[in-house]
Amino acid sequence: MPANASTPAASAVDYYQRLGVTPFINAAGTYTILSASTMPDEVQAAVALAAKRPVHLLELHQAAGEYLAKRLRCEGALVTSGAAAAIKLATAACITRGNKSAVINIPTEMQGLKNEVIVQKAHRYDYDHAIRDCGARLIDVETLDEYERAFSERTVMTQFFNAAEGGRISREDWVRVAHKHGIPCFNDAAADVPPISNLWNYTEMGFDLVAFSGGKGLRGPQCTGLLLGKKDLIDAAQLNNSPNSNTIGRGMKVGKEEIIGLVAAVDWFLEQDDARMEAEYRKRAALIAERVKSVPSVEARVFIPPVANHVPHLLITYDMNRIKVSAIEVMQRMREGTPRIELNPSTGGGPASMGLAGGSNVIVVGVWMLQPSEDEIVARRLQEVLRSAMKS
Ligand SMILES: *Cc1c(COP(=O)(O)O)cnc(C)c1O
């Protein structure tokens, strides 16, 4: 009998323990540096099964792309090694458009290649490098008039940051003007599910390419992303992607485990229900709110960020004259406690990126990634930390 045919699953070694890395309760959300989300059981099982059987990677990419495109109501889809990789492949697709020597030549041999990407100044962000990696130059605009005038014979793509807090040009105008000039429009919606329908809202709005992170709200493998859009551009992106060698994407490999994991995660996600998810998150927030409000001066309310991380978060505030600890310090004590708990990084006015009003007495609890009964633990620990600061 071949060893891999029907042997029972090996009992897993806890390598976090062996390595001395302590996992935490995720009361933050889907932040990449905090390892984002965890995969639902169905997704983990699909990955484990796929991991045991070899396949042709290009065949798998092709089949997964067709399946995802059908399920997500777009012409084409590509599994990437993350949303950042999807941004890079979108840019490479628009520069190379199926030209095989261009695929090899970018980003250093740009003779004869167009390379300008137009972006709103307020949409410049920490992922610009993914665009510049392809040899592209970013052209900033602020007004609609500037946008109109920014198109040149070197323009290859326009870029939109879906969850940007600033920017004067709407999605509709952004797409309309780009198409008037015959230029493809890309939208980075990495962290922008739920709602589930966002998986097709932006392609249906006319964006030619749209990126999502696979490891955030979709709860696929952390190192996956989705590039969705027009078939010819998705095909052009694929030519730049691993496993094709001598491409910009060769170092952004997705393996069979990631491809299957993301497909299974999309299936899982499409079976969820926005209203039911929101009700569950509100229930967790209410439980924590009720417990912490037993501490004098503490107030709590639910806040839903407008675009990215669009799920109920709990905002806790308190009187620092009575509870003598800053929110940052509370976050630190939660992190150092047992069990370890990680609060939302916008706590205490940290880097918010979600329209949250920060402040030194504002604690933000992201409840959507909590596992069953962890809301109870977070509530108890917060209560302990806040209460103990009253005595000091
Ligand atoms: C998280 C994020 C990314 C990167 O996603 P990865 O899947 O980690 O590569 C890109 N853009 C935005 C707006 C994001 O929030």
Side-chain angles (χ1 to χ4, degrees):
M1 186 178 74
N4 61 357
S6 57
T7 45
S11 63
V13 173
D14 184 347
Y15 271 99
Y16 287 145
Q17 193 177 36
R18 189 170 284 185
L19 298 173
V21 173
T22 310
F24 51 75
I25 289 176
N26 183 358
T30 61
Y31 296 90
T32 297
I33 199 166
L34 299 175
S35 73
S37 62
T38 54
M39 294 185 273
D41 289 344
E42 300 91 305
V43 177
Q44 292 189 41
V47 171
L49 189 59
K52 294 184 183 183
R53 288 182 292 184
V55 288
H56 278 287
L57 212 42
L58 281 171
E59 269 179 28
L60 182 60
H61 259 300
Q62 182 78 23
E66 284 168 15
Y67 183 89
L68 289 168
K70 207 171 288 167
R71 293 232 65 189
L72 302 178
R73 311 181 193 181
C74 54
E75 289 181 17
L78 179 62
V79 180
T80 69
S81 68
I87 300 167
K88 198 192 287 197
L89 290 169
T91 311
C94 291
I95 294 175
T96 60
R97 297 297 280 261
N99 171 345
K100 296 219 167 98
S101 58
V103 167
I104 294 168
N105 289 343
I106 57 169
T108 50
E109 311 305 314
M110 302 296 287
Q111 301 89 324
L113 296 176
K114 304 173 183 188
N115 73 334
E116 289 182 0
V117 174
I118 306 173
V119 61
Q120 295 189 67
K121 208 167 177 181
H123 290 209
R124 296 293 298 270
Y125 63 171
D126 284 351
Y127 302 95
D128 288 349
H129 216 295
I131 296 170
R132 292 192 294 112
D133 284 347
C134 300
R137 284 185 57 228
L138 286 154
I139 308 293
D140 291 337
V141 298
E142 288 181 89
T143 64
L144 190 55
D145 187 49
E146 281 173 17
Y147 182 38
E148 286 270 13
R149 284 186 286 114
F151 288 86
S152 77
E153 71 285 355
R154 291 179 304 280
T155 309
V156 283
M157 182 177 99
T158 70
Q159 193 241 351
F160 198 91
F161 169 24
N162 199 52
E165 283 162 28
R168 292 197 240 164
I169 308 170
S170 70
R171 292 181 184 86
E172 289 77 7
D173 282 342
W174 195 256
V175 171
R176 179 179 54 77
V177 172
H179 288 175
K180 195 170 87 187
H181 292 272
I183 297 298
C185 241
F186 167 78
N187 189 356
D188 176 1
D192 304 349
V193 290
I196 295 164
S197 59
N198 272 359
L199 288 171
W200 46 86
N201 283 343
Y202 302 114
T203 43
E204 287 184 351
M205 194 180 281
F207 283 99
D208 304 276
L209 290 165
V210 180
F212 291 95
S213 181
K216 292 180 177 171
L218 278 171
R219 297 188 55 189
Q222 195 192 357
C223 60
T224 60
L226 264 180
L227 183 63
L228 306 176
K230 295 277 154 57
K231 183 74 171 68
D232 59 329
L233 289 169
I234 294 293
D235 289 346
Q238 164 62 31
L239 286 181
N240 286 278
N241 199 22
S242 177
N244 298 310
S245 290
N246 211 6
T247 64
I248 203 151
R250 183 58 185 84
M252 309 186 297
K253 176 167 59 187
V254 266
K256 57 189 178 304
E257 298 82 2
E258 286 82 38
I259 297 171
I260 292 299
L262 186 56
V263 170
V266 166
D267 274 349
W268 174 85
F269 194 63
L270 293 179
E271 274 169 26
Q272 307 305 303
D273 176 87
D274 288 321
R276 232 180 304 138
M277 282 192 282
E278 179 173 337
E280 169 62 27
Y281 304 148
R282 281 188 183 277
K283 201 172 91 189
R284 296 175 192 173
L287 181 143
I288 298 169
E290 193 192 300
R291 302 283 173 81
V292 294
K293 281 199 288 191
S294 71
V295 184
S297 89
V298 172
E299 290 172 27
R301 67 180 175 90
V302 166
F303 173 84
I304 301 185
V307 184
N309 308 297
H310 183 65
V311 289
H313 286 63
L314 187 66
L315 249 75
I316 300 168
T317 54
Y318 53 92
D319 181 353
M320 284 178 69
N321 292 317
R322 300 188 67 182
I323 301 175
K324 300 185 180 71
V325 64
S326 69
I328 293 283
E329 185 58 31
V330 170
M331 182 153 75
Q332 194 56 30
R333 289 181 196 176
M334 296 287 282
R335 185 178 288 146
E336 287 165 0
T338 308
R340 269 180 113 174
I341 296 171
E342 207 51 61
L343 293 173
N344 185 279
S346 58
T347 293
S353 81
M354 45 193 254
L356 286 169
S360 54
N361 67 334
V362 179
I363 296 168
V364 182
V365 185
V367 296
W368 61 318
M369 290 297 134
L370 293 175
Q371 309 281 345
S373 81
E374 288 182 345
D375 49 0
E376 302 261 1
I377 302 169
V378 172
R380 176 171 53 76
R381 284 290 301 139
L382 271 173
Q383 218 179 351
E384 281 169 11
V385 169
L386 292 170
R387 259 191 210 292
S388 69
M390 295 194 71
K391 298 180 199 114
S392 52

